Amino acid sequence: STGVVKMQPKAEELKFVTKNDGYVHIHPSSVNYQTRHFDSPYLVYHEKIKTSRVFIRDCSMVSVYPLVLLGGGQVHMQLQRGEFVISLDDGWIRFVAASHQVAELVKELRCELDQLLQDKIKNPSMDLCMCPRGSRIIGMIVKLVTTQ
């Protein structure tokens, strides 16, 4: 006669998966240790240590678009079972896109951003916000990340 309420995991029960170490836990000294729910299942971290088990520290939640746009490795897109999948890190991290158009646009935006950053490295005095191409790319990324 009554419903079941899903409980958030206890801090010590919360775990994440890494490519090389399998399950990792947030270290008790981390400011995120008591956080029991993240809006995104992805964290970035600075430090990983192994004591009684593998822990991460200095971690922050990251949502999908910043991960796709700023994460390491090449972005790939493929059709799998009727869904368009964007993948990073040789397919280890994968996202389902809403449509083929969205997947293509995200992949193209990533390529444009990579090229823009390469141009900035070659010419450090270039003001990315003042050049038309740079300001359009940055504006689109800001809009995408803030409205997701």
Side-chain angles (χ1 to χ4, degrees), residues 84-101:
F84 294 97
V85 177
I86 299 171
S87 63
L88 300 168
D89 198 18
D90 297 326
W92 195 76
I93 301 172
R94 300 169 358 139
F95 311 99
V96 176
S99 68
H100 180 259
Q101 183 180 16

Side-chain angles (χ1 to χ4, degrees), residues 45-114:
Y45 60 90
H46 179 263
E47 185 178 32
K48 181 172 53 173
I49 58 171
K50 184 174 183 177
T51 56
S52 59
R53 52 187 172 179
V54 180
F55 290 99
I56 57 174
R57 281 197 278 211
D58 305 324
C59 60
S60 295
M61 184 202 74
V62 63
S63 55
V64 173
Y65 285 126
L67 187 59
V68 171
L69 294 173
L70 301 168
Q74 295 292 316
V75 174
H76 300 282
M77 186 195 63
Q78 54 197 7
L79 182 63
Q80 293 180 347
R81 295 186 211 135
E83 295 180 317
F84 294 97
V85 177
I86 299 171
S87 63
L88 300 168
D89 198 18
D90 297 326
W92 195 76
I93 301 172
R94 300 169 358 139
F95 311 99
V96 176
S99 68
H100 180 259
Q101 183 180 16
V102 169
E104 285 291 341
L105 288 172
V106 168
K107 183 178 177 185
E108 186 62 30
L109 186 58
R110 168 65 186 262
C111 290
E112 288 292 326
L113 177 60
D114 287 348

Side-chain angles (χ1 to χ4, degrees), residues 12-64:
E12 62 273 4
E13 297 172 341
L14 190 63
K15 56 189 172 186
F16 295 87
V17 180
T18 66
K19 184 177 183 180
N20 297 327
D21 296 298
Y23 289 111
V24 298
H25 301 266
I26 298 175
H27 195 274
S29 68
S30 174
V31 296
N32 282 328
Y33 181 69
Q34 292 299 325
T35 303
R36 295 169 60 186
H37 171 77
F38 294 93
D39 290 333
S40 172
Y42 303 101
L43 294 181
V44 293
Y45 60 90
H46 179 263
E47 185 178 32
K48 181 172 53 173
I49 58 171
K50 184 174 183 177
T51 56
S52 59
R53 52 187 172 179
V54 180
F55 290 99
I56 57 174
R57 281 197 278 211
D58 305 324
C59 60
S60 295
M61 184 202 74
V62 63
S63 55
V64 173

